[in-house]
Amino acid sequence: MKTLKDIHNILILGSGTLGLRIGLACALNNYKVTIYDIDEKAFASAKKIQANLLKILVKAQTYTQKQADAALQNLQFTSNAQEAAQKADLVSESVTENITIKKKVWQQFGKLCPPKTIFTTNTSSLLPSLYADDTGRPERFCAFHFHDVFYANVVDIMPNPQTETWIIKLLQDFGKSIQQTPVIVQKESPAYIFNAMLIALIGAAGALVTYDIASIEDVDRSWMGNFKMTRGPFGIIDEIGLDTAWHVTSPKKDKKSKRFATLLKTYIDKGKLGRKTGEGFYKYPNPRFLDTDFI
């Protein structure tokens, strides 16, 4: 059994959007971090994004410049799997959301990591039990699912049926140590907690628009005005990406979901994926819902 004091070296598998953020959060909180990726070209982009995030966090006085400088010293990048695995106390996997790829990665690192290593997956939709056995140590494997890391700092802890109970407590403590709010999903659920609620909200908003009950802007106005929120459902979709919303919606068989998936696809086909492309339901960097006269 391990406790938080036994965790020093963190291995991040995948240097994409969440991997680089999880790694940076760990580095900012005094953990030694190795970020592994098969594509060395991805490291330049990851380092640039991390540098920009540090500037924002220092400007917001979330961290000091001294802490930011120390974090960079705590980070290293490698495409050498054996080198990456050798000292890992805890692994956080954020590779492509594809069961075949995840199985392959865990089969590899399950053999390379020392017996002491705790294994976690940041999967957003796959149940950990689908590939727990591929790790070779399913009892030390658990979903540890992040949202944004710095602005939506909730982390979901979702064990597979074989996860040893002490792992849950350890991950709670670890989550708190990197400034996250841990929540426990008591049994496997592909949508976790927040996503289950968010999917219901987005689905309702989509139905209101696709059945011509209200416009996109009025749906957002209603939500923002009643709850005093800074954005409504369609502003939220722009933030998470219309392509992501489509991937969640399109497999559903009910008529409402099919109609909404069709609407999303019309935007996607035009390259309008949301904030990340400069336009989705709104145009960025100055979306209409931020105008003073929107509500």
Side-chain angles (χ1 to χ4, degrees), residues 142-182:
C142 187
F144 197 51
H145 170 250
F146 292 80
H147 293 259
D148 174 87
V149 181
F150 293 108
Y151 304 108
N153 60 329
V154 172
V155 63
D156 301 288
I157 300 168
M158 185 169 73
N160 77 82
Q162 300 181 74
T163 306
E164 293 188 6
T165 54
W166 64 269
I167 299 283
I168 299 170
K169 175 63 168 63
L170 172 61
L171 291 178
Q172 280 184 295
D173 293 340
F174 177 66
K176 290 176 183 176
S177 77
I178 57 172
Q179 316 308 316
Q180 302 297 299
T181 300

Side-chain angles (χ1 to χ4, degrees), residues 106 119-121 128 131-132 135 137-143 159-160 163:
W106 280 114
F119 291 158
T120 72
T121 177
Y131 47 103
T135 69
R137 51 190 103 166
E139 72 283 355
R140 298 173 78 88
F141 180 66
C142 187
N160 77 82
T163 306

Side-chain angles (χ1 to χ4, degrees), residues 2 6-9 85-90 113-119 137 140 166:
K2 282 180 177 285
D6 299 311
I7 306 298
H8 306 286
N9 298 298
Q86 62 184 356
K87 293 182 180 179
D89 295 313
L90 186 147
C113 289
K116 67 177 181 176
T117 311
I118 306 299
F119 291 158
R137 51 190 103 166
R140 298 173 78 88
W166 64 269

Side-chain angles (χ1 to χ4, degrees), residues 112-259:
L112 291 176
C113 289
K116 67 177 181 176
T117 311
I118 306 299
F119 291 158
T120 72
T121 177
N122 185 44
T123 179
S124 59
S125 61
L126 298 170
L127 299 179
S129 60
L130 293 173
Y131 47 103
D133 288 336
D134 293 285
T135 69
R137 51 190 103 166
E139 72 283 355
R140 298 173 78 88
F141 180 66
C142 187
F144 197 51
H145 170 250
F146 292 80
H147 293 259
D148 174 87
V149 181
F150 293 108
Y151 304 108
N153 60 329
V154 172
V155 63
D156 301 288
I157 300 168
M158 185 169 73
N160 77 82
Q162 300 181 74
T163 306
E164 293 188 6
T165 54
W166 64 269
I167 299 283
I168 299 170
K169 175 63 168 63
L170 172 61
L171 291 178
Q172 280 184 295
D173 293 340
F174 177 66
K176 290 176 183 176
S177 77
I178 57 172
Q179 316 308 316
Q180 302 297 299
T181 300
V183 295
I184 298 173
V185 185
Q186 297 181 28
K187 60 182 180 180
E188 288 188 322
S189 172
Y192 295 92
I193 297 173
F194 175 76
N195 286 350
M197 297 186 287
L198 180 61
I199 289 167
L201 168 64
I202 289 173
L208 287 168
V209 169
T210 58
Y211 281 90
D212 300 320
I213 295 168
S215 69
I216 287 169
E217 289 196 355
D218 278 344
V219 169
D220 280 358
R221 282 191 185 93
S222 179
W223 185 265
M224 294 166 67
N226 278 293
F227 284 100
K228 308 306 176 190
M229 304 293 282
T230 56
R231 71 184 70 228
F234 289 96
I236 292 171
I237 296 171
D238 273 358
E239 194 66 30
I240 65 175
L242 276 73
D243 51 341
T244 301
W246 182 83
H247 281 298
V248 171
T249 306
S250 59
K252 296 180 181 294
K253 304 300 182 185
D254 62 284
K255 289 182 180 180
K256 288 183 179 179
S257 295
K258 285 185 174 296
R259 289 173 72 103

